[in-house]
Amino acid sequence: MNLDDKCVKVVYNAKAYERVEDPKVRALLRFIQTNEPGEDDYSKRLSEFVAKVKENEKFRKEFSDMNLHDFDIMTEAKEEGIEEGARQKAVENALVAIKEFGASPELAAEKMGAPLDKVLEALKAVVATA
């Protein structure tokens, strides 16, 4: 794939490390997949480096803070998605009340807990496609 950035990018599947012909690359991918150093010097040094980093309190705190921050963002996004889904369902229910029971948009929005502007917008879209 040409990304037009004058770089060469190589993508490996670490799970398929056994199929890689180059022994150095295979050892690296094996380490990435299994976290076990091979017999080569590079993966042994890499393993030692990872062990040192894991012992570094500053790194551990920053890594933990980063993970908590990411978790907070994911939780917030999930909650927003649930709220948006509930709003959308309320709008859909309001449309049913309008079409099936002849309720006014204002009454349907109020009773279904849907924002009136979203109900009117959805109603306009339904009328436009009919």
Side-chain angles (χ1 to χ4, degrees):
M1 175 185 311
N2 184 359
L3 301 176
D4 199 27
D5 62 358
K6 298 183 180 154
C7 293
V8 175
K9 295 174 177 70
V10 179
V11 179
Y12 288 102
N13 177 358
K15 289 183 179 182
Y17 67 88
E18 294 167 334
R19 291 188 245 152
V20 176
E21 292 180 25
D22 184 322
K24 290 179 181 180
V25 174
R26 183 175 49 248
L28 174 63
L29 294 175
R30 179 181 178 275
F31 176 73
I32 291 170
Q33 180 62 29
T34 66
N35 203 27
E36 298 170 4
E39 297 301 316
D40 66 309
D41 289 337
Y42 181 73
S43 64
K44 284 180 185 176
R45 284 187 318 208
L46 187 58
S47 180
E48 290 168 6
F49 178 75
V50 168
K52 276 185 188 176
V53 168
K54 285 181 178 180
E55 292 172 6
N56 181 310
E57 278 303 313
K58 183 179 177 194
F59 172 80
R60 290 171 63 92
K61 181 176 177 354
E62 288 175 1
F63 186 77
S64 176
D65 290 348
M66 181 181 65
N67 283 341
L68 288 174
H69 177 71
D70 291 350
F71 180 77
D72 290 344
I73 289 172
M74 286 177 16
T75 301
E76 186 178 319
K78 186 176 182 181
E79 289 170 358
E80 287 175 8
I82 290 169
E83 290 171 7
E84 179 59 32
R87 277 192 296 274
Q88 183 60 36
K89 188 64 177 168
V91 169
E92 291 171 7
N93 290 339
L95 287 179
V96 169
I98 293 166
K99 289 192 284 183
E100 299 292 323
F101 304 108
S104 70
E106 294 79 11
L107 180 63
E110 178 187 338
K111 294 299 180 186
M112 297 302 162
L116 179 59
D117 62 325
K118 296 294 182 186
V119 171
L120 293 172
E121 188 178 297
L123 190 58
K124 202 180 286 184
V126 168
V127 170
T129 59

